[in-house]
């Protein structure tokens, strides 16, 4: 009922920047938290950054001061601006959202995007 579509991944040199976007569509009344996770080969998926509907953001310690997460509630979109990229940022980045499907819903439903590859080279 809800689809999350990521875009903006690619290959960039260390020190460069990349902007990821994720747009949610489908049966959506509102979205609580939206965020980005990443998974490198052989590693567990980890939280990169998340933001609440009120604008409060959390970041992984490794990306603080380099990444910025923002959202457009009207467009059901979350953005991850990545600056000063490092080789260790290389991973598949996944969008995640807690969705309230209707005004009658009590709880939220969690959804994942299919992921977008980010590769940082030297």
């Amino acid at each position: 009922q809800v689809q999350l579509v990521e875009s903006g991944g690619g290959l960039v040199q260390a020190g460069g920047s990349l902007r990821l976007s994720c747009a949610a569509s489908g049966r959506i009344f509102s979205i609580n938290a939206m965020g980005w996770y990443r998974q490198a080969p052989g590693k567990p998926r980890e939280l990169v950054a998340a933001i609440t509907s009120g604008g409060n953001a959390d970041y992984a310690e490794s990306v603080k001061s380099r990444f910025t997460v923002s959202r457009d509630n009207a467009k059901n979109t979350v953005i991850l601006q990545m600056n000063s990229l490092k080789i260790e940022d290389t991973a598949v980045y996944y969008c995640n959202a807690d969705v309230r499907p209707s005004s009658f819903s009590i709880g939220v439903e969690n959804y994942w995007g299919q992921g977008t590859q980010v590769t940082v080279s030297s």
Side-chain angles (χ1 to χ4, degrees), residues 49-109:
I51 185 168
T52 68
S53 60
N56 292 112
D58 282 332
Y59 299 90
E61 191 67 30
S62 61
V63 307
K64 285 183 177 179
S65 79
R66 298 189 299 118
F67 292 8
T68 301
V69 65
S70 61
R71 62 187 285 173
D72 185 334
N73 291 335
K75 296 181 178 180
N76 293 324
T77 299
V78 61
I79 303 295
L80 184 66
Q81 179 65 48
M82 304 184 292
N83 299 323
S84 302
L85 283 162
K86 304 175 180 179
I87 294 177
E88 50 263 45
D89 293 319
T90 296
V92 177
Y93 284 69
Y94 297 90
C95 181
N96 182 265
D98 288 327
V99 179
R100 186 182 179 191
S102 76
S103 62
F104 301 101
S105 301
I106 297 176
V108 298
E109 301 172 351

Side-chain angles (χ1 to χ4, degrees), residues 3-7 21-25 36 77-78 95 112-116:
Q3 184 178 10
L4 305 180
V5 179
E6 304 102 331
S7 63
S21 65
C22 171
S25 62
W36 293 91
T77 299
V78 61
C95 181
W112 289 94
Q114 62 183 333
T116 184

Side-chain angles (χ1 to χ4, degrees), residues 12-35:
V12 65
Q13 291 183 329
S17 298
L18 212 57
R19 181 179 182 270
L20 305 183
S21 65
C22 171
S25 62
R27 187 171 174 80
I28 301 170
F29 177 73
S30 63
I31 301 176
N32 287 355
M34 297 187 77

